[in-house]
Amino acid sequence: MRILIVNVNTSEAITEAIARQAQAVAAPGSEIIGLTPYFGAESVEGNFESYLAAIAVMDRVLAYDGPYDAVIQAGYGEHGREGLQELLNVPVVDITDAAASTAMYLGHAYSVVTTLDRTVPLIEDRLKLSGLYDRCASVRASGMAVLELEAEPERALEAIVRQAELAVSEDKAEVICLGCGGMAGLDEKIRQRTGVPVVDGVSAAVKMAESLVQLGLSTSKTRTYAKPRPKRVIGWPAQFGR
Amino acid sequence: MRILIVNVNTSEAITEAIARQAQAVAAPGSEIIGLTPYFGAESVEGNFESYLAAIAVMDRVLAYDGPYDAVIQAGYGEHGREGLQELLNVPVVDITDAAASTAMYLGHAYSVVTTLDRTVPLIEDRLKLSGLYDRCASVRASGMAVLELEAEPERALEAIVRQAELAVSEDKAEVICLGCGGMAGLDEKIRQRTGVPVVDGVSAAVKMAESLVQLGLSTSKTRTYAKPRPKRVIGWPAQFGR
Amino acid sequence: MRILIVNVNTSEAITEAIARQAQAVAAPGSEIIGLTPYFGAESVEGNFESYLAAIAVMDRVLAYDGPYDAVIQAGYGEHGREGLQELLNVPVVDITDAAASTAMYLGHAYSVVTTLDRTVPLIEDRLKLSGLYDRCASVRASGMAVLELEAEPERALEAIVRQAELAVSEDKAEVICLGCGGMAGLDEKIRQRTGVPVVDGVSAAVKMAESLVQLGLSTSKTRTYAKPRPKRVIGWPAQFGR
Amino acid sequence: MRILIVNVNTSEAITEAIARQAQAVAAPGSEIIGLTPYFGAESVEGNFESYLAAIAVMDRVLAYDGPYDAVIQAGYGEHGREGLQELLNVPVVDITDAAASTAMYLGHAYSVVTTLDRTVPLIEDRLKLSGLYDRCASVRASGMAVLELEAEPERALEAIVRQAELAVSEDKAEVICLGCGGMAGLDEKIRQRTGVPVVDGVSAAVKMAESLVQLGLSTSKTRTYAKPRPKRVIGWPAQFGR
Amino acid sequence: MRILIVNVNTSEAITEAIARQAQAVAAPGSEIIGLTPYFGAESVEGNFESYLAAIAVMDRVLAYDGPYDAVIQAGYGEHGREGLQELLNVPVVDITDAAASTAMYLGHAYSVVTTLDRTVPLIEDRLKLSGLYDRCASVRASGMAVLELEAEPERALEAIVRQAELAVSEDKAEVICLGCGGMAGLDEKIRQRTGVPVVDGVSAAVKMAESLVQLGLSTSKTRTYAKPRPKRVIGWPAQFGR
Amino acid sequence: MRILIVNVNTSEAITEAIARQAQAVAAPGSEIIGLTPYFGAESVEGNFESYLAAIAVMDRVLAYDGPYDAVIQAGYGEHGREGLQELLNVPVVDITDAAASTAMYLGHAYSVVTTLDRTVPLIEDRLKLSGLYDRCASVRASGMAVLELEAEPERALEAIVRQAELAVSEDKAEVICLGCGGMAGLDEKIRQRTGVPVVDGVSAAVKMAESLVQLGLSTSKTRTYAKPRPKRVIGWPAQFGR
């Protein structure tokens, strides 16, 4: 089985980290292909960048010319998943959803710890639209930007741990979701520090994608995610930025 | 005051119809500028097309090189409004929101009558995110595609009236919102046929945009709609399709 | 166009302040008529007083013997708007709704800063019934009574600013609504102090009323706001207190 | 123990019917006093009439010059209960709430069958504000006006039974609430016809009022229902209509 | 009238305290029978123990061989009430529901103060399922285990008062519900300390049970609480632990 | 990896069917152990039977004396999952949750088709508590009892297909969940007949359990699902029925 995992950021370093984490948890027969969009923001932290990433992710997946069995969109709280679901016949898994739906098996309520405060409303909104918000105790910002996660790993870890601890003590979270594709790999450290299960969305998404493929399930083509109707579309397939 | 009204479809005919309707209800001093995106689908009827339109609308507004006081996004249930709010300092009004928030002054519950069934979930989701869904009795599809509205005006009117009547009798709507930018101008006919107030989103958006400008109010730059942080963005400003 | 703006309090000073603010933002052709109820509490701060004001406002509007195009009920979180909508054919705008629905165009969440703590549940309940509560971050009390707003403007301003700041920092509001007709005119000062847009309900209501009139829209007479059925009503038209 | 039960309509016949039903279910030591407001509509069927009744009920209770232990407001879906709670120290029970909170002990979901369609939104809104709406399967209108209930008892019974049956079969109600004070006494007949428990709000309210008195419980005077602050109130105590 | 009140704990001391409190508020003709389950945990403080109690309570009631008119399940936030409703023809009242539905007549919002933090989610979930959560300001834990309530009454009182005070000042509760059958009898002391009405679930349940019996109302046998279908059931009637 | 899958019914035939289906979708290294409770109803179709099953399932799992890595509770809409989560350290997956959370990856809304109408409220309530109800379009009953599914497979298939078709056309479901452990194996046939993805809860639960084990994730022991506190428990471990 081949799974495409698409970064929403144009940072190659993040793509590599995500793909590495994905491969680490993948089943023996699963091949992970990390993809970086051809255009968009180096790091996605807001609505404009997220909308641009939405299109860039669709563009990048369509440009991939081999066969594949599932697609993972590796951005936390980003736009675009519904578009991929329309365009593709294989299952599509967003790491925001995967982390949340996995966390709900582990505790009565979960919190998300993400990067900047400005991304909190995006994550909350995506969880609401996905129908996975009811058991969300809080979405908290560590104050670390996406690119700082890699540049200052020590400080990032402390900032994330601190918010995770507050989520447990103040918001009554029983599980923590790592709210950024770039946090992949921190789960074990944060679990040790907080004592609660920590869910990394990339890992959760890989298992969910594998499960769907193994069960022979894919996106319903009735109504919402039906194929786009044939029509004149200017500028697509995009060579935006190419 | 100059208000840009941006079509989400690349159909010039729809842009003209929208701008004409907008100008018809504009205050004496208001100049309406209709804009057509440089790329995207001729008619937007689903998530992929809507995401592409989101970026195309932002691109088109940024490419406009004169001064302006407000921007209207003239698509019903489409993505992208939050991105515009980040990028711009002037107020941004989406016709979906404008129709709903206006309708709520007129009756206890409102319904939306839109084009194809597949767009219903998009409209519902946008209204939920905008916090304007509580008094929504239903979103109903007429079965008419966007481009059929113009091609077959008689049949479109009948199909819309029929769903509006069902919204009133079955769903207990007391107001009808016209759920497509391309329906601008049908409001009076539908009101006569159904006996309830009919809100055209384009018209409502013009008055809301004018009001915000006159009150000196614009998008809060605290948190969600703060300017994007300076960073490397590949392929933007876009010349997608140009 | 003539717009009646009815104070819910029997304080003439507040009526004058409200009418002054309303006229200040009105369009060139709009004439604002401030009305004070013939009976009721000098300042309305609770359910009994609010119910009495509901009837007093209806009574006062019906007693007005000239023509008019719209009515604004200038009380925050007060009862009665639905009664006016039944009795009248012209559009009715409540300043609670107008502030909230305007604020929702400006940020992801809004807070209301009002007078006494006891009025908070009234405002929350009215916003819930109006379907405008989903994006309400909080309703906060300044602790200043209605009549203290005028008597001690300096202290009132400080108390309101303090709660507005907490709404932004603690409750994540991105917009502030001034939760009392008697706060009209403070918006600019509070905006300067908090850095977020501030919506005055009186001003917002004037623009909304003008917009509805210009669009030819008024209350739906289907179902909820149909004219009262003809029947024997004792003591009405009221000369309560006259 | 003496319980005042206040009709919201000015029809003496309805007051008598209500008081008779209340006395029939009252405990041995409970004395029921039926009160008719001094002003207001003969029958209350809409917002204007309901707001007028709200004040008329408060006025009537305050005019009662003997001692009493509890007050019941006998109107379904009417305004005003919160005002009484502020003004009085004894417990206040609204029949809308009493029927609903009693029904919730009897089945997984309940429906209300009321008079005219226009009163349905009022009932729904009151149940929402009272926090008793979650288990409401539906509010259905029989199409019979309040005064027709007495004038045409046979036709009324059939119309109510028909809606009750639909509530059970279509809306999955397991209990029916009689949604009008004037329906008191029909419960047994409707139970026989539908096979589900039927709750009469007047009866339920009497038992709830007795229970609160026996438990020594009354309205909290903290915050929402604190006594009105001392202030100048014109036209009150009202001699509206006297 | 004979009312069975079933403890969920196997502690006889708690059964006695509950029955004593129940008898104290019962009407003259009401006989209270306290029952202790034959098996289960000495004190119920979590899901496993609560599920075991659910079955033990049903078992104990079925083993009672005299006639009775109503059954009260005296556990706060425990499982099982729906099972009793299926098995019995007489009304069933859970003290969690009784406290909440009574509290809602007394203030705009209520809080529950319970024992251990781990029981908070159980109580919240039961209130949600019962449709009584909307006006719940908070469920707070005193940190006192069930058996400590009796062993250390002074310390328990202080801990409960402290959380009740926080519920009023922080969460805006206007009424306090005592969230444990074992707290029966503390209501008056806590009322004096906090100044708000305090509802004891056992007392509230007795009055509600009496009311339902007096009104001739019992569980609907349509749909959810219909008698179990005849079928082979191994190990039931249970002699678990006997 | 060894996964225990526990039937909620005491029918051995159903246990075998469930285990067969589970093994069919299990990963190569996964060993499935089907367990039948020692006591309880032959088929579980209501609250009493479901509560008895809750305890019987916990009893049966604790009686299993080998090692295992995860437990699946194979009952749709049944009580008890939270108890297992407290008692065990390995992950616990309920098929109700597994079907729903899997379905949410496949379409905008899902419906459940179950057995008897009386079980519908149980399923709805469990989905609400699990936080997976938001995207539930409906829960529909086929009218077939659990044991009829095996006795009359042809008729059962037709009844389920009919409700699935109505769920798609009337309720706008885009995915169907099979709402009974005993329906395992029907998914492909129903998919062919309805054209939408069909999720079997048993299969979905197996993949979810495998995923959690592979990710090293298990139930949070903070707060809700902490181990029961040490205390005297009569009649446990149970030999109910043995």
Side-chain angles (χ1 to χ4, degrees):
Chain A
M1 169 186 335
R2 183 181 291 165
I3 299 171
L4 307 186
I5 185 161
V6 200
N7 188 3
V8 296
N9 313 288
T10 50
S11 155
E12 292 279 359
I14 295 178
T15 306
E16 277 161 36
I18 287 169
R20 202 179 316 119
Q21 174 69 17
Q23 192 67 65
V25 302
S30 298
E31 179 192 9
I32 302 293
I33 306 285
L35 297 180
T36 309
Y38 293 128
F39 58 94
E42 196 173 0
S43 62
V44 175
E45 292 160 329
N47 275 291
F48 155 63
E49 294 161 8
S50 182
Y51 276 120
L52 190 55
I55 285 299
V57 163
M58 293 183 228
D59 170 70
R60 187 62 193 86
V61 170
L62 293 191
Y64 181 79
D65 62 359
Y68 52 89
D69 299 287
V71 172
I72 293 170
Q73 175 164 328
Y76 219 90
E78 307 309 349
H79 298 290
R81 185 251 303 151
E82 308 96 320
L84 278 175
Q85 288 180 290
E86 278 181 17
L87 294 173
L88 307 180
N89 287 318
V90 300
V92 175
V93 176
D94 180 292
I95 65 169
T96 323
D97 299 343
S101 84
T102 299
M104 288 161 77
Y105 286 95
L106 306 176
H108 196 264
Y110 70 90
S111 283
V112 178
V113 181
T114 186
T115 54
L116 302 180
D117 189 48
R118 69 180 296 162
T119 68
V120 169
L122 280 94
I123 294 173
E124 292 173 341
D125 280 359
R126 291 305 294 180
L127 289 169
K128 281 178 191 168
L129 286 192
S130 295
L132 297 167
Y133 191 67
D134 264 18
R135 289 295 183 192
C136 180
S138 60
V139 180
R140 283 176 168 268
S142 64
M144 303 295 291
V146 172
L147 298 181
E148 290 174 317
L149 293 176
E150 240 174 314
E152 306 183 58
E154 289 292 304
R155 195 160 72 86
L157 180 63
E158 290 310 312
I160 295 166
V161 164
R162 184 173 154 64
Q163 292 303 316
E165 285 169 347
L166 288 169
V168 172
S169 63
E170 298 300 306
D171 310 331
K172 304 297 185 186
E174 303 180 1
V175 187
I176 298 296
C177 294
L178 297 183
C180 176
M183 291 177 186
L186 291 182
D187 49 351
E188 182 53 21
K189 280 178 190 158
I190 296 167
R191 189 193 62 74
Q192 284 171 6
R193 295 281 294 276
T194 60
V196 300
V198 176
V199 181
D200 163 53
V202 169
S203 306
V206 169
K207 303 320 285 184
M208 182 52 62
E210 290 177 342
S211 294
L212 294 174
V213 173
Q214 285 158 9
L215 293 172
L217 291 169
S218 190
T219 306
S220 176
K221 289 296 167 181
T222 295
R223 209 181 190 213
T224 312
Y225 304 127
K227 282 268 170 201
R229 303 171 78 218
K231 63 183 63 162
R232 205 165 60 96
V233 182
I234 300 171
W236 188 265
Q239 280 85 26
F240 308 176
R242 268 174 279 175
Chain B
M1 168 185 336
R2 182 181 294 165
I3 298 172
L4 307 185
I5 185 161
V6 200
N7 189 2
V8 296
N9 313 287
T10 50
S11 154
E12 292 281 0
I14 296 179
T15 306
E16 276 160 38
I18 288 169
R20 202 179 316 122
Q21 172 70 16
Q23 193 66 65
V25 301
S30 298
E31 178 192 11
I32 302 292
I33 306 284
L35 297 180
T36 310
Y38 292 128
F39 57 94
E42 196 173 359
S43 63
V44 174
E45 292 161 328
N47 276 289
F48 155 63
E49 293 161 9
S50 182
Y51 275 120
L52 189 57
I55 284 299
V57 163
M58 293 183 229
D59 170 71
R60 187 60 193 87
V61 170
L62 294 190
Y64 181 80
D65 63 358
Y68 52 90
D69 300 286
V71 171
I72 294 171
Q73 175 164 327
Y76 218 90
E78 307 309 349
H79 298 289
R81 185 252 303 150
E82 310 96 319
L84 279 175
Q85 287 179 292
E86 279 181 17
L87 293 172
L88 306 179
N89 287 319
V90 300
V92 175
V93 176
D94 180 293
I95 64 168
T96 323
D97 298 344
S101 85
T102 299
M104 289 161 76
Y105 286 95
L106 306 175
H108 195 265
Y110 70 90
S111 284
V112 178
V113 181
T114 187
T115 54
L116 302 181
D117 189 48
R118 68 180 298 161
T119 68
V120 170
L122 280 95
I123 294 172
E124 292 174 341
D125 280 359
R126 292 305 294 181
L127 289 170
K128 282 178 191 170
L129 286 191
S130 294
L132 296 167
Y133 191 68
D134 263 19
R135 289 294 183 192
C136 179
S138 60
V139 181
R140 283 177 169 268
S142 65
M144 303 296 291
V146 172
L147 299 181
E148 290 174 317
L149 295 176
E150 239 172 314
E152 306 182 56
E154 289 291 304
R155 195 160 71 88
L157 180 64
E158 291 308 311
I160 295 166
V161 165
R162 183 173 154 65
Q163 292 303 317
E165 286 169 345
L166 288 170
V168 172
S169 62
E170 299 297 307
D171 311 330
K172 305 294 184 187
E174 302 180 0
V175 188
I176 298 295
C177 293
L178 297 183
C180 176
M183 290 178 188
L186 293 183
D187 49 352
E188 182 53 21
K189 281 178 190 159
I190 297 168
R191 189 193 63 72
Q192 283 171 5
R193 296 280 294 275
T194 62
V196 300
V198 176
V199 182
D200 164 52
V202 169
S203 306
V206 169
K207 302 322 285 182
M208 181 52 60
E210 289 175 345
S211 294
L212 294 174
V213 172
Q214 285 158 9
L215 293 172
L217 291 168
S218 191
T219 305
S220 177
K221 289 297 167 181
T222 295
R223 211 183 190 211
T224 311
Y225 304 126
K227 282 268 172 204
R229 305 171 76 218
K231 63 182 63 163
R232 203 165 62 95
V233 182
I234 300 170
W236 188 265
Q239 281 86 26
F240 308 177
R242 270 175 278 176
Chain C
M1 167 183 341
R2 182 180 294 166
I3 298 171
L4 307 186
I5 185 160
V6 200
N7 189 3
V8 295
N9 314 286
T10 50
S11 155
E12 292 280 0
I14 296 178
T15 306
E16 277 161 37
I18 288 170
R20 202 180 315 121
Q21 173 70 18
Q23 192 68 66
V25 302
S30 299
E31 178 192 8
I32 301 292
I33 307 285
L35 298 179
T36 309
Y38 293 127
F39 57 95
E42 197 173 359
S43 63
V44 175
E45 292 160 331
N47 276 289
F48 155 64
E49 294 162 8
S50 182
Y51 276 120
L52 190 55
I55 286 298
V57 164
M58 293 184 228
D59 170 71
R60 186 63 192 87
V61 170
L62 293 191
Y64 181 80
D65 63 359
Y68 52 90
D69 300 286
V71 172
I72 293 171
Q73 176 165 325
Y76 219 90
E78 308 309 349
H79 298 289
R81 185 250 304 149
E82 308 96 319
L84 279 175
Q85 288 179 291
E86 278 181 17
L87 294 172
L88 307 179
N89 286 318
V90 301
V92 175
V93 176
D94 181 291
I95 65 169
T96 324
D97 299 342
S101 85
T102 300
M104 288 161 76
Y105 286 96
L106 306 175
H108 195 265
Y110 70 91
S111 283
V112 177
V113 181
T114 186
T115 54
L116 302 180
D117 189 47
R118 68 179 298 160
T119 68
V120 170
L122 280 95
I123 294 173
E124 292 173 341
D125 280 0
R126 291 305 294 181
L127 290 169
K128 281 178 191 169
L129 286 191
S130 295
L132 296 167
Y133 192 67
D134 263 19
R135 289 294 184 194
C136 179
S138 59
V139 180
R140 283 176 168 268
S142 65
M144 302 297 290
V146 171
L147 298 181
E148 290 175 317
L149 294 176
E150 240 173 313
E152 307 182 59
E154 288 293 303
R155 196 161 69 87
L157 180 64
E158 291 310 310
I160 295 166
V161 164
R162 183 172 156 65
Q163 292 303 317
E165 286 169 346
L166 288 170
V168 173
S169 63
E170 298 298 307
D171 311 331
K172 305 295 184 188
E174 303 181 1
V175 188
I176 297 295
C177 293
L178 296 183
C180 176
M183 291 177 185
L186 293 182
D187 49 350
E188 182 53 21
K189 281 179 189 158
I190 297 167
R191 189 194 62 74
Q192 284 171 7
R193 296 280 294 276
T194 61
V196 300
V198 176
V199 181
D200 164 53
V202 169
S203 307
V206 170
K207 302 320 285 182
M208 182 52 61
E210 290 176 343
S211 295
L212 293 174
V213 173
Q214 286 159 9
L215 292 173
L217 291 169
S218 190
T219 306
S220 176
K221 290 295 166 181
T222 295
R223 208 181 191 214
T224 310
Y225 304 127
K227 282 268 172 202
R229 303 171 77 219
K231 63 182 65 163
R232 206 166 59 96
V233 182
I234 300 170
W236 188 264
Q239 280 86 25
F240 309 175
R242 270 176 277 173
Chain D
M1 164 186 339
R2 184 181 291 165
I3 298 171
L4 306 186
I5 185 160
V6 201
N7 189 1
V8 296
N9 314 287
T10 50
S11 155
E12 293 280 358
I14 296 178
T15 306
E16 276 160 38
I18 288 170
R20 201 179 317 121
Q21 173 70 17
Q23 193 67 65
V25 302
S30 298
E31 180 191 9
I32 302 294
I33 306 285
L35 298 179
T36 310
Y38 293 127
F39 57 93
E42 196 173 0
S43 63
V44 175
E45 293 160 329
N47 276 289
F48 155 63
E49 294 162 7
S50 182
Y51 275 121
L52 190 57
I55 284 299
V57 163
M58 293 183 228
D59 170 70
R60 186 62 193 85
V61 171
L62 294 190
Y64 181 80
D65 63 358
Y68 52 90
D69 301 286
V71 173
I72 293 170
Q73 174 163 328
Y76 219 91
E78 307 309 348
H79 299 289
R81 186 250 304 152
E82 310 95 318
L84 279 176
Q85 288 180 293
E86 279 181 17
L87 294 172
L88 307 180
N89 286 319
V90 301
V92 176
V93 176
D94 181 292
I95 65 169
T96 323
D97 299 343
S101 86
T102 299
M104 289 161 76
Y105 285 96
L106 306 176
H108 195 265
Y110 70 90
S111 283
V112 178
V113 181
T114 188
T115 53
L116 302 180
D117 189 47
R118 68 181 296 161
T119 69
V120 170
L122 280 95
I123 294 173
E124 291 173 341
D125 280 0
R126 291 305 294 182
L127 289 170
K128 281 178 191 169
L129 286 191
S130 294
L132 297 167
Y133 192 68
D134 264 17
R135 289 295 184 191
C136 180
S138 60
V139 180
R140 281 177 170 267
S142 65
M144 302 296 291
V146 172
L147 299 181
E148 289 174 316
L149 294 176
E150 240 173 313
E152 307 183 55
E154 289 291 303
R155 195 161 69 88
L157 180 64
E158 291 309 311
I160 295 167
V161 164
R162 184 173 152 65
Q163 292 303 317
E165 286 169 345
L166 288 170
V168 173
S169 62
E170 298 299 306
D171 310 330
K172 304 295 184 188
E174 303 181 1
V175 188
I176 297 295
C177 293
L178 296 183
C180 176
M183 290 177 187
L186 292 183
D187 47 352
E188 181 54 19
K189 280 178 191 160
I190 297 167
R191 188 194 63 72
Q192 283 171 7
R193 296 280 296 274
T194 61
V196 301
V198 176
V199 182
D200 163 53
V202 170
S203 306
V206 170
K207 303 320 285 182
M208 182 51 62
E210 289 177 343
S211 295
L212 294 174
V213 174
Q214 286 159 9
L215 293 172
L217 292 168
S218 191
T219 305
S220 177
K221 289 296 166 180
T222 296
R223 211 182 189 213
T224 311
Y225 304 125
K227 283 266 171 205
R229 306 171 75 217
K231 65 182 61 161
R232 204 163 60 96
V233 182
I234 301 171
W236 188 263
Q239 280 85 26
F240 307 178
R242 270 175 278 176
Chain E
M1 166 186 338
R2 184 180 291 165
I3 298 171
L4 307 186
I5 185 161
V6 201
N7 189 2
V8 296
N9 314 287
T10 51
S11 156
E12 292 280 359
I14 296 177
T15 306
E16 278 161 36
I18 287 170
R20 202 180 316 121
Q21 173 69 18
Q23 192 67 66
V25 302
S30 298
E31 179 192 8
I32 302 292
I33 307 285
L35 297 179
T36 310
Y38 292 127
F39 58 93
E42 197 172 359
S43 63
V44 175
E45 293 161 329
N47 276 290
F48 156 62
E49 293 161 9
S50 182
Y51 276 120
L52 189 56
I55 285 299
V57 163
M58 293 183 227
D59 170 71
R60 187 62 193 87
V61 171
L62 293 190
Y64 180 79
D65 62 359
Y68 52 89
D69 299 288
V71 172
I72 294 171
Q73 176 164 326
Y76 219 90
E78 308 309 349
H79 300 289
R81 186 252 303 151
E82 308 97 318
L84 279 175
Q85 288 178 292
E86 277 180 17
L87 294 172
L88 307 179
N89 286 318
V90 301
V92 175
V93 176
D94 181 294
I95 66 169
T96 323
D97 299 342
S101 85
T102 299
M104 289 160 75
Y105 286 96
L106 307 175
H108 195 265
Y110 69 91
S111 282
V112 178
V113 181
T114 187
T115 54
L116 303 180
D117 189 47
R118 68 180 297 162
T119 68
V120 170
L122 279 95
I123 293 172
E124 292 173 340
D125 280 359
R126 291 305 294 182
L127 289 169
K128 281 179 192 169
L129 286 191
S130 295
L132 297 166
Y133 191 68
D134 263 18
R135 288 296 184 191
C136 180
S138 59
V139 180
R140 282 178 168 268
S142 65
M144 303 295 291
V146 172
L147 299 180
E148 290 174 317
L149 293 176
E150 242 174 311
E152 306 182 58
E154 289 292 303
R155 195 160 70 86
L157 181 64
E158 291 310 311
I160 295 166
V161 165
R162 184 173 154 63
Q163 292 304 317
E165 286 169 346
L166 289 169
V168 172
S169 62
E170 298 298 307
D171 311 331
K172 304 297 185 187
E174 303 180 1
V175 188
I176 297 296
C177 293
L178 296 183
C180 176
M183 290 178 187
L186 292 182
D187 48 352
E188 182 53 22
K189 281 179 188 159
I190 297 167
R191 188 193 63 73
Q192 284 171 7
R193 296 281 294 275
T194 60
V196 300
V198 175
V199 181
D200 164 51
V202 169
S203 307
V206 169
K207 303 321 283 182
M208 183 51 63
E210 290 177 343
S211 295
L212 294 174
V213 173
Q214 286 159 10
L215 293 173
L217 292 169
S218 190
T219 306
S220 176
K221 290 296 167 181
T222 295
R223 211 183 189 210
T224 312
Y225 304 127
K227 283 268 172 203
R229 304 171 77 218
K231 62 183 64 163
R232 206 165 59 96
V233 182
I234 300 171
W236 188 264
Q239 279 85 25
F240 308 177
R242 268 176 279 174
Chain F
M1 164 184 344
R2 182 181 294 166
I3 298 171
L4 306 186
I5 185 161
V6 200
N7 189 1
V8 295
N9 313 287
T10 50
S11 155
E12 293 281 358
I14 296 177
T15 306
E16 276 161 38
I18 288 170
R20 201 179 317 121
Q21 173 70 18
Q23 194 67 65
V25 302
S30 298
E31 178 191 10
I32 301 293
I33 306 285
L35 298 179
T36 309
Y38 292 128
F39 57 94
E42 197 173 0
S43 62
V44 174
E45 291 160 331
N47 276 289
F48 155 63
E49 293 162 8
S50 182
Y51 275 121
L52 190 56
I55 285 299
V57 163
M58 293 183 227
D59 170 70
R60 186 61 194 86
V61 170
L62 293 191
Y64 181 80
D65 62 359
Y68 53 89
D69 300 286
V71 172
I72 294 170
Q73 176 164 325
Y76 219 89
E78 307 309 347
H79 299 288
R81 187 252 303 151
E82 309 95 319
L84 279 175
Q85 287 180 294
E86 279 182 17
L87 294 172
L88 306 180
N89 287 318
V90 300
V92 175
V93 176
D94 181 293
I95 65 168
T96 323
D97 299 343
S101 86
T102 299
M104 289 161 75
Y105 286 96
L106 307 175
H108 195 264
Y110 70 90
S111 283
V112 178
V113 181
T114 186
T115 54
L116 302 180
D117 189 48
R118 68 180 297 161
T119 68
V120 169
L122 280 94
I123 294 172
E124 291 173 342
D125 280 0
R126 293 303 296 181
L127 290 169
K128 282 179 190 169
L129 287 192
S130 294
L132 297 167
Y133 191 68
D134 264 18
R135 288 294 183 192
C136 180
S138 60
V139 180
R140 283 177 168 266
S142 65
M144 303 296 291
V146 172
L147 298 181
E148 289 174 318
L149 294 176
E150 240 173 312
E152 307 183 56
E154 289 291 303
R155 195 161 70 87
L157 180 64
E158 290 310 311
I160 295 167
V161 164
R162 183 172 155 66
Q163 293 302 318
E165 286 169 346
L166 288 170
V168 172
S169 62
E170 298 298 306
D171 311 329
K172 304 296 184 187
E174 302 179 1
V175 187
I176 298 295
C177 293
L178 296 183
C180 176
M183 290 177 186
L186 292 183
D187 49 351
E188 181 55 20
K189 280 177 191 161
I190 297 167
R191 188 193 63 71
Q192 283 171 6
R193 297 280 295 275
T194 61
V196 300
V198 175
V199 181
D200 164 53
V202 169
S203 307
V206 169
K207 303 321 287 182
M208 182 50 62
E210 289 176 344
S211 295
L212 294 174
V213 173
Q214 285 158 10
L215 292 173
L217 291 169
S218 190
T219 305
S220 176
K221 289 297 166 178
T222 295
R223 210 183 190 213
T224 311
Y225 304 125
K227 282 269 172 202
R229 304 172 75 219
K231 64 182 63 162
R232 205 164 61 96
V233 182
I234 299 171
W236 187 265
Q239 282 84 27
F240 307 177
R242 269 176 278 175

